[in-house]
Amino acid sequence: MKNIEFYKYQGTGNDFVLVDNREGSFDGDNNELIAALCHRRFGIGADGLMLLETSDKNSFTMRYYNSDGGEATMCGNGGRCIAAFAVHRGVVPEKVYFSFDAVDGVHEAFVDGDMVSLKMIDVAGYEEKQDGLFLDTGSPHFIKFVDNPEVVDVFKEGSFWRNHDVFAPGGTNVNFVGNPDGKEVAMRTFERGVEDETWSCGTGAVASAIATYIRSGAGKCFDMKVPGGKLTVSFDVVKSGGFENVWLKGPAKYVFSGQIDAEPIL
Ligand SMILES: N[C@H](CCC[C@H](N)C(=O)O)C(=O)O
C-alpha cells in the first residue's frame, strides 16, 4: 500500500484514524492492517478507524472499525468525527444539516466549528440485567450505577462484564455511571473491541443518559462528564417506552495527518 493519506481526529479523547476512501483505494476487508494501524506502538494509534465512502442516497457512508480491526456496530464519537472530517474535505457544507449512512441506519449531523451534533437511532427500550440496565443505542451498552466512577477499576470490572455469559455471544460495552449532580453525570466506559477503558464513548454516553433518566426520572438533557471532556445528550420519551429525537453533541477535532506508505504488522 502506498500514498494513502490518513487524518487523525478525536472527540472528547476517543481517537480515530480517518481515510477518505471515496475512490476505494483502501481495502476495507483487510482487518489485520486496520488493527496494526490502530496499534499504539506498531501503528498510528487510535481507538478505531473509519473509512469515508460514497453513498447513493446520502452525503457519504461511514464504515467503522474498532482498534482490534473488526468492523463494528455504531460509534457515536466516530460519527461526530467523520461529520467534521466530511466538512473539512468539502464533502458537505458547515452549519447545514446533512445525512450520512452508517451500519445502524441514516444519521443527521450539523457541524459548527469544533462542535458537532449527531442524531442517533431511536432506542426501542431497555432491559434490567445483573442489577444494571442494558440498552442498544447503535451499539450494546450495559450500565452499572456506582457512587463514584473515579474510583472504579474500569479495566478489571469492565472486562468482567464485557465477557460475562449474560451478554454472550456478542459481548457488551460497559459504562460506570455516577449519580446526577444537577444536569451533569460522571461516567467511564470499558469498550468492547478496544478491550480497555476509552476516554469517551458516544453511544455509551447516550445509553448512560437514558439510563439515568430511567433510574432517576430526572431531565431529558444531560451533560455527560467523561475522562476526555463533556458530551451533551438530549432525547424525547415516547409513550411506547422508547426514546426518539436522540442527539449527541460535543467537540470533534482534527489532530494531524500523514501518509501510509508501508504496512505495519503486529
Ligand atoms: N467509541 C464508540 C463505540 C464503538 C463501538 C464499540 N466499541 C462496540 O460496540 O464494538 C462510540 O463513541 O460510540
Side-chain angles (χ1 to χ4, degrees):
M1 186 165 60
K2 284 250 180 279
N3 299 330
I4 302 272
E5 295 283 340
F6 75 85
Y7 299 79
K8 185 78 193 289
Y9 276 70
Q10 60 86 12
T12 50
N14 205 188
D15 62 338
F16 309 99
V17 172
L18 280 132
V19 174
D20 182 345
N21 201 32
R22 283 176 292 169
E23 283 174 9
S25 37
F26 188 101
D27 176 8
D29 295 327
N30 191 342
N31 303 88
E32 276 172 30
L33 170 66
I34 293 168
L37 291 171
C38 289
H39 196 280
R40 296 197 184 277
R41 292 185 179 85
F42 293 112
I44 301 160
D47 292 328
L49 180 143
M50 277 173 282
L51 300 178
L52 187 151
E53 298 193 335
T54 54
S55 159
D56 294 338
K57 295 202 187 94
N58 294 300
S59 297
F60 59 90
T61 298
M62 160 182 170
R63 268 182 95 178
Y64 174 76
Y65 305 79
N66 281 320
S67 63
D68 67 0
E71 195 162 356
T73 47
M74 183 55 184
C75 177
N77 287 327
R80 295 186 315 96
C81 286
I82 206 168
F85 180 56
V87 169
H88 299 161
R89 297 291 294 162
V91 179
V92 288
E94 197 186 353
K95 295 183 189 169
V96 170
Y97 284 90
F98 58 87
S99 298
F100 66 89
D101 297 324
V103 64
D104 62 343
V106 179
H107 290 264
E108 241 182 288
F110 183 87
V111 179
D112 184 358
D114 283 343
M115 284 308 265
V116 181
S117 303
L118 177 68
K119 190 171 188 208
M120 308 296 286
I121 55 157
D122 294 345
V123 179
Y126 62 92
E127 287 169 61
E128 299 267 0
K129 266 192 179 152
Q130 305 288 320
D131 205 24
L133 296 178
F134 181 70
L135 298 95
D136 193 323
T137 55
S139 279
H141 284 277
F142 179 50
I143 316 293
K144 269 270 169 205
F145 290 97
V146 296
D147 285 339
N148 180 5
E150 270 179 40
V151 301
V152 174
D153 186 339
V154 172
F155 183 78
K156 194 168 153 232
E157 305 253 322
S159 33
F160 174 80
W161 291 112
R162 183 260 180 265
N163 295 302
H164 197 286
D165 283 354
V166 172
F167 302 108
T172 184
N173 300 285
V174 187
N175 304 272
F176 300 94
V177 181
N179 295 315
D181 178 6
K183 229 184 115 196
E184 193 169 282
V185 179
M187 61 174 289
R188 288 171 67 194
T189 306
F190 180 95
E191 264 190 60
R192 162 184 92 153
V194 180
E195 306 308 333
D196 205 347
E197 179 175 13
T198 55
W199 282 21
S200 177
C201 179
T203 49
V206 170
S208 302
I210 292 176
T212 302
Y213 166 81
I214 293 164
R215 271 291 158 93
S216 67
K220 293 180 191 77
C221 177
F222 293 98
D223 289 333
M224 307 306 289
K225 200 168 147 280
V226 298
K230 207 176 277 184
L231 289 164
T232 304
V233 177
S234 60
F235 51 86
D236 293 336
V237 184
V238 288
K239 285 205 184 85
S240 60
F243 303 87
E244 289 178 3
N245 204 20
V246 182
W247 284 86
L248 172 70
K249 184 177 177 183
K253 294 183 184 172
Y254 164 71
V255 189
F256 64 88
S257 63
Q259 198 166 296
I260 306 163
D261 284 322
E263 297 197 6
I265 307 166
L266 292 185

